[in-house]
């Protein structure tokens, strides 16, 4: 198993398949994009599947989430999912995506073995979407969401980041829309993962701000802590249920004590936390001929170095060295 010195066991693996993305969200990367990883630096499909197999068969991983960048840009995505679906024990598999391209791929992803999707959508206004993402693809995301629902990739979860001066007033409208469409909405506090290091704690929209806005229109009842488990989102039933809304308050209400995640970057590095500054290189060991046992031991040792918390709740937090697009959200 992947046990750290604080008694936490990692069973949830986040796998970044690429650092590339077809949007340029203001809270993630600059308009001109980034210097992408060279192809030889990326793990191959076979390498990804092997490392996931080791995580499942040797290290107790039960959940695999494919991320990016934008994972739908990975040419071998459906093949990777299909091969992972054949592992025993079979991990539960999900995908975090911006939804562009999901309209044409949802059925194939479901057939390959994907269980569900999280789709990022920050606004109901196409013009605000264009300002936030610097691309005019709002309709593509809405069609992608509908295709995921039709394909049975449920529950379809929608991830939303609220930004001052852009979409800060949309929380109640977004929740009303999500309930009408049958999606589960989750608000995520803006985190310091932008490549340009423009994040500032002062002025950010907090979980408290989001809940206050939602309560202007809806009655929210918190779910018991026991129902949350290791999930990052605090959840509330809306107007007595059955609809729910979640808030991931990574900055103001860290949930590190219950963290059960380990992360594999697109270039084969293990990260014990999204905000870690240290990485453990599995790619070099893998390409040097290390067997499964040696790779598993390296992963275990990396996990032992996991810190008690992310440090996000510490004033003067120093941003991690790599942006979200390179390490997987």
């Amino acid at each position: 198993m992947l046990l750290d010195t604080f008694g936490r066991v990692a069973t949830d693996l986040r796998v970044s398949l690429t650092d590339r993305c077809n949007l340029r969200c203001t809270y993630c990367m600059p308009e001109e994009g980034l210097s992408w990883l060279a192809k030889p630096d990326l793990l191959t499909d076979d390498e990804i599947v092997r490392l996931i197999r080791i995580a499942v068969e040797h290290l107790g991983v039960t959940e695999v989430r494919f991320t990016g960048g934008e994972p739908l840009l990975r040419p071998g995505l459906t093949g990777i999912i299909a091969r992972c679906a054949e592992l025993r024990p079979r991990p539960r598999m999900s995908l975090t995506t911006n939804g562009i391209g999901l309209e044409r791929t949802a059925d194939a992803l479901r057939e390959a073995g994907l269980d569900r999707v999280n789709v990022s959508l920050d606004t109901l206004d196409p013009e605000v979407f264009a300002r936030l993402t610097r691309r005019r693809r709002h309709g593509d995301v809405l069609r992608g969401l509908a295709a995921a629902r039709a394909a049975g990739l449920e529950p379809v979860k929608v991830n939303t980041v609220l930004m001052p001066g852009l979409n800060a007033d949309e929380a109640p409208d977004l929740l009303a829309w999500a309930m009408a469409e049958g999606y589960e909405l989750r608000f995520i506090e803006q985190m310091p993962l932008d490549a340009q290091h423009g994040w500032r704690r002062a002025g950010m929209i907090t979980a408290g701000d989001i809940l206050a806005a939602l309560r202007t229109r809806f009655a929210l009842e918190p779910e018991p802590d026991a129902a949350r488990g290791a999930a990052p989102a605090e959840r509330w039933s809306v107007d007595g249920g059955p609809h729910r809304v979640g808030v991931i308050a990574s900055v103001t209400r860290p949930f590190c004590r219950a963290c059960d995640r380990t992360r594999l970057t697109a270039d084969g590095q293990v990260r014990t936390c999204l905000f870690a500054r240290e990485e453990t290189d599995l790619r070099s060991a893998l390409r040097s001929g290390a067997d499964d046992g040696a790779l598993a031991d390296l992963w275990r040792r990396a996990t032992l170095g996991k810190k008690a918390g992310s440090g996000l709740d510490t004033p003067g937090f120093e941003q991690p060295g790599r942006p979200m697009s390179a390490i997987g959200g």
Side-chain angles (χ1 to χ4, degrees):
M1 69 173 63
L2 292 172
L3 177 68
D4 68 29
T5 57
F6 299 93
R8 298 169 298 193
V9 178
T11 58
D12 185 336
L13 170 61
R14 305 298 169 101
V15 181
S16 174
L17 298 178
T18 178
D19 60 328
R20 296 174 184 267
C21 189
N22 42 14
L23 296 181
R24 297 292 182 270
C25 296
T26 56
Y27 51 78
C28 185
M29 69 174 72
E31 186 171 6
E32 64 274 15
L34 300 169
S35 297
W36 308 121
L37 292 168
K39 187 172 182 179
D41 293 334
L42 294 171
L43 293 176
T44 67
D45 292 1
D46 287 343
E47 290 170 337
I48 289 171
V49 173
R50 182 183 175 193
L51 290 175
I52 293 174
R53 178 179 59 77
I54 290 170
V56 169
E57 294 180 355
H58 296 264
L59 299 172
V61 163
T62 58
E63 301 263 348
V64 177
R65 171 82 62 86
F66 297 103
T67 70
E70 173 46 53
L72 293 182
L73 296 179
R74 177 87 186 201
L77 174 60
T78 55
I80 291 170
I81 292 170
R83 292 167 67 183
C84 291
E86 295 174 353
L87 296 175
R88 295 295 178 269
R90 182 196 186 281
R92 182 164 174 79
M93 293 182 290
S94 58
L95 178 84
T96 294
T97 172
N98 61 29
I100 296 174
L102 192 54
E103 180 183 16
R104 67 174 182 273
T105 57
D107 287 332
L109 292 170
R110 181 61 172 160
E111 185 175 347
L114 190 69
D115 294 301
R116 65 172 191 81
V117 294
N118 285 30
V119 180
S120 298
L121 180 65
D122 301 320
T123 178
L124 299 175
D125 186 331
E127 293 304 316
V128 174
F129 182 91
R131 290 170 62 194
L132 275 165
T133 68
R134 305 182 178 105
R135 299 290 187 272
R136 292 192 173 276
R137 307 296 297 271
H138 190 259
D140 293 310
V141 180
L142 295 181
R143 289 189 292 273
L145 279 161
R149 182 182 56 202
L153 293 170
E154 296 181 305
V156 177
K157 296 184 179 181
V158 176
N159 294 341
T160 295
V161 176
L162 296 181
M163 301 280 289
L166 287 170
N167 60 341
D169 60 343
E170 289 196 57
D173 289 340
L174 281 160
L175 180 53
W177 165 81
M179 291 194 301
E181 295 292 335
Y183 306 138
E184 185 173 327
L185 182 63
R186 306 194 313 172
F187 291 97
I188 303 175
E189 286 183 337
Q190 185 192 0
M191 295 179 284
L193 291 168
D194 55 312
Q196 59 270 39
H197 289 190
W199 179 86
R200 295 292 180 270
R201 185 182 303 271
M204 66 169 283
I205 298 173
T206 68
D209 297 331
I210 295 165
L211 293 170
L214 294 176
R215 285 184 168 122
T216 63
R217 194 182 306 179
F218 305 98
L220 304 181
E221 184 68 26
E223 286 192 342
D225 288 343
R228 180 180 182 182
E234 296 179 79
R235 294 190 302 191
W236 283 260
S237 63
V238 182
D239 291 341
H243 298 291
R244 298 179 299 187
V245 63
V247 179
I248 299 177
S250 299
V251 178
T252 62
R253 303 180 188 178
F255 41 87
C256 302
R257 284 183 295 178
C259 181
D260 66 348
R261 297 181 183 180
T262 183
R263 297 176 180 275
L264 182 65
T265 68
D267 54 350
Q269 312 298 305
V270 167
R271 292 176 67 94
T272 57
C273 175
L274 186 61
F275 304 99
R277 299 191 70 85
E278 304 82 19
E279 298 177 333
T280 299
D281 185 4
L282 292 187
R283 184 190 65 200
S284 295
L286 186 156
R287 292 180 179 178
S288 296
D291 62 20
D292 288 358
L295 290 167
D297 285 343
L298 191 59
W299 208 326
R300 289 190 190 97
R301 290 197 296 272
T303 304
L304 284 173
K306 186 171 183 172
K307 296 180 179 179
S310 65
L312 275 178
D313 55 345
T314 303
F317 171 80
E318 194 173 340
Q319 292 173 310
R322 292 216 274 173
M324 183 163 54
S325 61
I327 59 182

